[in-house]
């Protein structure tokens, strides 16, 4: 097979995952939340349990009027939703689904690339907030910037811990070096990474930049139609990305209880959806953190724990 054709097929596979996995997670969120809260929700679209409701919502967004505020910076306003989506698409290109060639673009510095690209998300928040010419949007954007910049530090430190343990920045190399006993000594790093990841994608209880009871809908207040749908899609893709990174870095990726490498992709997907379920569960279970509580958790709890985990990792590596 020519190299260009193989590259096209790999990118096409990532695009399919980029468009389908967030829809599956979004539909699962609606149904899981409905069951947890004792309510039915929409049950008609598509027939069985309203499985096509999310598709119907997408069609509705396409049909809605695309409104741009008169005082807005139009170019920046319209570009922000795309900036929110593209980093997650790039991250999916380097996340290994299984051993061997089951990754769109293997990189020796895959972890460095992922952490660098995920950090671009703050630009979309600031762009949408500033360009909207709305004080509620601007306040939400400033909250979002402070949150994303703060939680970037424990996220990177936790990822550095597992990279140091594996001795490589390659995501595939980290999975290959992973051993089940890492679930114990890397457990603090996993919790830190997971919590910081939730804050990075602004999921409840870390949704203070949106805070609909205070800021209408934060930096997304002025968005309508398809552009608003792009922001929602970015949120669900963010769930997939954080769940996939947690799986690859801390849960062994494609490694399962059986030695059959052919089923590696299945173990990866099962772990990703299990972590995504926990993300949905937390949204239903915990109230939103206040801004001071959110920053206190970052700087007084997660950062010191992440530094302590790095010291533990160095000690264990020297003792091995």
């Amino acid at each position: 097979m020519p190299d260009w054709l193989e590259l096209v097929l790999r990118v096409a596979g990532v695009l399919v995952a980029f468009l389908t996995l967030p829809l599956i997670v979004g539909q699962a969120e609606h149904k899981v939340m409905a069951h947890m809260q004792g309510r039915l929700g929409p049950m008609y679209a598509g027939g069985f349990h309203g499985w096509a409701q999310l598709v119907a919502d997408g069609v509705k967004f396409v049909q809605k009027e695309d409104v741009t505020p008169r005082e807005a910076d139009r170019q920046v306003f319209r570009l922000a939703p795309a900036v929110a989506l593209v980093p997650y698409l790039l991250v999916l290109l380097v996340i290994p689904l299984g051993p061997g060639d089951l990754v769109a673009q293997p990189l020796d510095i895959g972890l460095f690339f992922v952490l660098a690209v995920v950090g671009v998300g703050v630009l979309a928040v600031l762009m949408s907030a500033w360009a909207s010419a709305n004080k509620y949007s601007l306040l939400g954007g400033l909250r979002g910037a402070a949150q994303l910049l703060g939680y970037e530090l424990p996220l990177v430190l936790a990822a550095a811990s597992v990279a140091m343990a594996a001795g490589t920045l390659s995501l595939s190399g980290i999975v290959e070096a992973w051993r089940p006993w890492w679930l114990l000594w890397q457990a603090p790093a996993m919790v830190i990474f997971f919590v910081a990841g939730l804050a990075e994608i602004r999921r409840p209880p870390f949704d203070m930049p949106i805070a609909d009871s205070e800021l209408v809908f934060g930096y997304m207040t002025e968005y309508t139609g398809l552009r608003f749908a792009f922001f929602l899609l970015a949120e669900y893709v963010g769930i997939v990305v954080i769940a996939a990174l947690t799986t690859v870095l801390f849960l062994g990726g494609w490694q399962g209880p059986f030695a059959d490498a052919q089923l590696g992709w299945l173990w990866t997907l099962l772990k990703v959806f299990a972590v995504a379920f926990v993300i949905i569960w937390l949204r239903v279970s915990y109230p939103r953190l206040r801004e001071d509580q959110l920053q206190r958790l970052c700087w007084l709890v997660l950062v010191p724990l992440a530094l302590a985990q790095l010291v533990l990792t160095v000690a264990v590596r020297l003792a091995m």
Side-chain angles (χ1 to χ4, degrees), residues 109-120:
I109 56 169
L111 181 58
F112 177 82
F113 174 81
V114 165
L115 294 176
V117 171
V118 168
V120 176

PDB file of all heavy atoms in Angstrom, residues 109-120:
ATOM      1  N   ILE A 109       7.774  11.712  20.862  1.00  0.00           N
ATOM      2  CA  ILE A 109       7.479  12.729  21.883  1.00  0.00           C
ATOM      3  C   ILE A 109       5.971  12.967  21.940  1.00  0.00           C
ATOM      4  O   ILE A 109       5.518  14.101  22.087  1.00  0.00           O
ATOM      5  CB  ILE A 109       8.247  14.038  21.607  1.00  0.00           C
ATOM      6  CG1 ILE A 109       7.933  14.574  20.207  1.00  0.00           C
ATOM      7  CG2 ILE A 109       9.740  13.848  21.800  1.00  0.00           C
ATOM      8  CD1 ILE A 109       8.445  15.967  19.962  1.00  0.00           C
ATOM      9  N   GLY A 110       5.208  11.889  21.836  1.00  0.00           N
ATOM     10  CA  GLY A 110       3.753  12.008  21.776  1.00  0.00           C
ATOM     11  C   GLY A 110       3.151  12.706  22.978  1.00  0.00           C
ATOM     12  O   GLY A 110       2.239  13.528  22.843  1.00  0.00           O
ATOM     13  N   LEU A 111       3.662  12.403  24.182  1.00  0.00           N
ATOM     14  CA  LEU A 111       3.122  13.021  25.388  1.00  0.00           C
ATOM     15  C   LEU A 111       3.394  14.519  25.395  1.00  0.00           C
ATOM     16  O   LEU A 111       2.510  15.319  25.751  1.00  0.00           O
ATOM     17  CB  LEU A 111       3.730  12.371  26.632  1.00  0.00           C
ATOM     18  CG  LEU A 111       3.245  12.906  27.977  1.00  0.00           C
ATOM     19  CD1 LEU A 111       1.732  12.760  28.109  1.00  0.00           C
ATOM     20  CD2 LEU A 111       3.954  12.202  29.131  1.00  0.00           C
ATOM     21  N   PHE A 112       4.598  14.908  24.998  1.00  0.00           N
ATOM     22  CA  PHE A 112       4.930  16.345  24.913  1.00  0.00           C
ATOM     23  C   PHE A 112       4.004  17.042  23.923  1.00  0.00           C
ATOM     24  O   PHE A 112       3.502  18.144  24.190  1.00  0.00           O
ATOM     25  CB  PHE A 112       6.392  16.500  24.495  1.00  0.00           C
ATOM     26  CG  PHE A 112       6.823  17.926  24.310  1.00  0.00           C
ATOM     27  CD1 PHE A 112       7.192  18.705  25.392  1.00  0.00           C
ATOM     28  CD2 PHE A 112       6.863  18.494  23.039  1.00  0.00           C
ATOM     29  CE1 PHE A 112       7.579  20.022  25.228  1.00  0.00           C
ATOM     30  CE2 PHE A 112       7.256  19.808  22.861  1.00  0.00           C
ATOM     31  CZ  PHE A 112       7.621  20.574  23.953  1.00  0.00           C
ATOM     32  N   PHE A 113       3.760  16.407  22.788  1.00  0.00           N
ATOM     33  CA  PHE A 113       2.878  16.980  21.764  1.00  0.00           C
ATOM     34  C   PHE A 113       1.461  17.143  22.309  1.00  0.00           C
ATOM     35  O   PHE A 113       0.825  18.189  22.119  1.00  0.00           O
ATOM     36  CB  PHE A 113       2.877  16.077  20.533  1.00  0.00           C
ATOM     37  CG  PHE A 113       1.905  16.492  19.466  1.00  0.00           C
ATOM     38  CD1 PHE A 113       2.227  17.497  18.575  1.00  0.00           C
ATOM     39  CD2 PHE A 113       0.665  15.875  19.351  1.00  0.00           C
ATOM     40  CE1 PHE A 113       1.327  17.882  17.584  1.00  0.00           C
ATOM     41  CE2 PHE A 113      -0.234  16.252  18.378  1.00  0.00           C
ATOM     42  CZ  PHE A 113       0.097  17.263  17.485  1.00  0.00           C
ATOM     43  N   VAL A 114       0.962  16.129  22.988  1.00  0.00           N
ATOM     44  CA  VAL A 114      -0.407  16.165  23.527  1.00  0.00           C
ATOM     45  C   VAL A 114      -0.563  17.304  24.527  1.00  0.00           C
ATOM     46  O   VAL A 114      -1.521  18.084  24.459  1.00  0.00           O
ATOM     47  CB  VAL A 114      -0.754  14.818  24.175  1.00  0.00           C
ATOM     48  CG1 VAL A 114      -1.990  14.939  25.059  1.00  0.00           C
ATOM     49  CG2 VAL A 114      -0.982  13.758  23.107  1.00  0.00           C
ATOM     50  N   LEU A 115       0.368  17.412  25.468  1.00  0.00           N
ATOM     51  CA  LEU A 115       0.259  18.442  26.496  1.00  0.00           C
ATOM     52  C   LEU A 115       0.374  19.843  25.884  1.00  0.00           C
ATOM     53  O   LEU A 115      -0.294  20.782  26.344  1.00  0.00           O
ATOM     54  CB  LEU A 115       1.342  18.238  27.546  1.00  0.00           C
ATOM     55  CG  LEU A 115       1.222  16.954  28.377  1.00  0.00           C
ATOM     56  CD1 LEU A 115       2.415  16.810  29.318  1.00  0.00           C
ATOM     57  CD2 LEU A 115      -0.082  16.922  29.156  1.00  0.00           C
ATOM     58  N   ALA A 116       1.199  19.990  24.854  1.00  0.00           N
ATOM     59  CA  ALA A 116       1.348  21.288  24.207  1.00  0.00           C
ATOM     60  C   ALA A 116       0.078  21.680  23.468  1.00  0.00           C
ATOM     61  O   ALA A 116      -0.373  22.836  23.531  1.00  0.00           O
ATOM     62  CB  ALA A 116       2.538  21.260  23.249  1.00  0.00           C
ATOM     63  N   VAL A 117      -0.536  20.726  22.775  1.00  0.00           N
ATOM     64  CA  VAL A 117      -1.714  21.024  21.955  1.00  0.00           C
ATOM     65  C   VAL A 117      -2.937  21.258  22.829  1.00  0.00           C
ATOM     66  O   VAL A 117      -3.743  22.162  22.562  1.00  0.00           O
ATOM     67  CB  VAL A 117      -1.963  19.880  20.949  1.00  0.00           C
ATOM     68  CG1 VAL A 117      -3.300  20.057  20.255  1.00  0.00           C
ATOM     69  CG2 VAL A 117      -0.844  19.837  19.922  1.00  0.00           C
ATOM     70  N   VAL A 118      -3.105  20.472  23.891  1.00  0.00           N
ATOM     71  CA  VAL A 118      -4.260  20.646  24.772  1.00  0.00           C
ATOM     72  C   VAL A 118      -4.264  22.045  25.382  1.00  0.00           C
ATOM     73  O   VAL A 118      -5.326  22.641  25.599  1.00  0.00           O
ATOM     74  CB  VAL A 118      -4.264  19.558  25.868  1.00  0.00           C
ATOM     75  CG1 VAL A 118      -5.267  19.894  26.967  1.00  0.00           C
ATOM     76  CG2 VAL A 118      -4.604  18.204  25.268  1.00  0.00           C
ATOM     77  N   GLY A 119      -3.083  22.585  25.639  1.00  0.00           N
ATOM     78  CA  GLY A 119      -2.992  23.921  26.219  1.00  0.00           C
ATOM     79  C   GLY A 119      -3.496  25.031  25.313  1.00  0.00           C
ATOM     80  O   GLY A 119      -3.737  26.157  25.772  1.00  0.00           O
ATOM     81  N   VAL A 120      -3.691  24.733  24.025  1.00  0.00           N
ATOM     82  CA  VAL A 120      -4.188  25.742  23.093  1.00  0.00           C
ATOM     83  C   VAL A 120      -5.654  26.074  23.374  1.00  0.00           C
ATOM     84  O   VAL A 120      -6.149  27.132  22.969  1.00  0.00           O
ATOM     85  CB  VAL A 120      -4.000  25.254  21.637  1.00  0.00           C
ATOM     86  CG1 VAL A 120      -4.597  26.228  20.628  1.00  0.00           C
ATOM     87  CG2 VAL A 120      -2.520  25.046  21.336  1.00  0.00           C
TER      88      VAL A 120
END
